[in-house]
């Protein structure tokens, strides 16, 4: 082994040992993901159990993603109900393989404790569903890659589009729907296809 290669390997090992270069799936080069993967975005999240995670941690599994906030009086409960109805439109064997991520618009008020309280109130299946908090900058970035529009109002509530987004195992957007209240048949079919291809 020549000296320059030995020095390079020593430097890489030293970075891993120091913790400056973390050794986990999130540290894989972005080039290893498809160019149209939303998981190119490196966004930090905290879930309802106060666990730190990253937006790209969903890589490897199909995922249904949306955005909401816990104090929303009408549209966000409807988003949750629509996701539940979408799940129930799937065969039970497939349902258990679908993960759900809901990211809050409300970086100030939706603490892990607030999200956990909402999960209990809404009877959310938290082993498969993740309710997540992020800082304001990461909220904006996630909304941008999912093409979800929102703005905070003077009364601290949010005006926002209500969208369900289906991601495949690599974080590519496969389907989206703005139909709420009842399952969108085309969207359910897309979810079934993605789950069937896993």
């Amino acid at each position: 082994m020549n000296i320059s290669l030995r020095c390079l390997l020593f430097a890489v090992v030293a970075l891993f040992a120091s913790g400056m270069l973390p050794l986990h799936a999130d540290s894989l080069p972005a080039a290893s993901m498809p160019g149209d993967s939303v998981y190119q975005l490196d966004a930090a999240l905290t879930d309802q159990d106060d666990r730190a995670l990253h937006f790209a941690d969903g890589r490897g599994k199909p995922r249904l993603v949306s955005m909401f906030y816990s104090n929303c009086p009408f549209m966000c409960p409807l988003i949750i109900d629509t996701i539940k109805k979408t799940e129930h439109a799937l065969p039970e064997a497939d349902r258990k393989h679908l993960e759900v991520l809901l990211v809050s618009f409300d970086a100030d008020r939706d603490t892990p404790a607030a999200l956990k309280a909402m999960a209990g109130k809404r009877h959310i299946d938290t082993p498969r569903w993740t309710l997540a908090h992020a800082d304001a900058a990461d909220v904006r970035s996630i909304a941008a890659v999912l093409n979800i529009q929102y703005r905070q109002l003077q009364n601290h509530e949010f005006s926002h589009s209500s969208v369900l987004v289906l991601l495949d195992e690599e974080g590519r957007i496969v389907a989206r729907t703005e139909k709420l209240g009842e399952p969108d048949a085309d969207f359910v079919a897309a979810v079934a296809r993605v789950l069937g291809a896993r």
Side-chain angles (χ1 to χ4, degrees):
M1 182 183 296
N2 65 41
I3 293 174
S4 60
L5 182 56
R6 187 179 297 121
C7 289
L8 177 61
L9 288 173
F10 178 79
V12 170
V13 169
L15 286 170
F16 279 125
S18 69
M20 293 176 65
L21 191 56
L23 183 57
H24 53 71
D26 292 340
S27 65
L28 291 173
S32 68
M33 294 185 195
D36 55 351
S37 172
V38 300
Y39 294 149
Q40 300 276 354
L41 174 65
D42 182 23
L45 302 171
T46 304
D47 75 3
Q48 70 276 351
D49 294 315
D50 205 18
R51 293 176 299 201
L53 57 149
H54 287 84
F55 185 51
D57 288 347
R59 190 179 183 195
K61 293 163 281 195
R63 196 189 228 183
L64 202 160
V65 183
S66 191
M67 299 186 75
F68 81 116
Y69 67 107
S70 66
N71 289 309
C72 181
F74 177 67
M75 292 307 295
C76 298
L78 194 57
I79 289 171
I80 292 169
D81 287 345
T82 304
I83 295 172
K84 288 181 176 181
K85 289 178 180 179
T86 299
E87 287 184 319
H88 286 292
L90 298 166
E92 187 173 353
D94 287 342
R95 194 181 311 155
K96 64 184 179 182
H97 297 291
L98 180 65
E99 294 198 351
V100 176
L101 172 66
L102 294 175
V103 180
S104 174
F105 295 113
D106 197 339
D108 295 328
R109 294 181 294 177
D110 275 342
T111 62
L115 296 174
K116 192 173 186 72
M118 182 192 166
K121 180 181 178 181
R122 302 289 304 169
H123 306 290
I124 288 173
D125 181 8
T126 50
R128 286 190 306 103
W129 289 47
T130 300
L131 279 60
H133 161 94
D135 67 27
D138 281 337
V139 169
R140 285 192 296 271
S141 297
I142 292 168
V145 298
L146 297 175
N147 193 21
I148 294 176
Q149 308 298 315
Y150 76 99
R151 64 185 176 91
Q152 189 165 12
L153 306 175
Q154 288 186 344
N155 64 358
H156 303 292
E157 302 304 315
F158 291 82
S159 172
H160 61 90
S161 54
S162 300
V163 182
L164 309 184
V165 179
L166 174 64
L167 303 179
D168 70 7
E169 294 180 352
E170 290 295 328
R172 292 171 292 214
I173 296 175
V174 176
R176 56 190 292 122
T177 182
E178 296 182 22
K179 181 178 178 180
L180 297 181
E182 294 300 326
D184 178 331
D186 291 338
F187 188 76
V188 171
V191 175
R193 282 195 303 275
V194 168
L195 290 172
R198 72 184 189 281

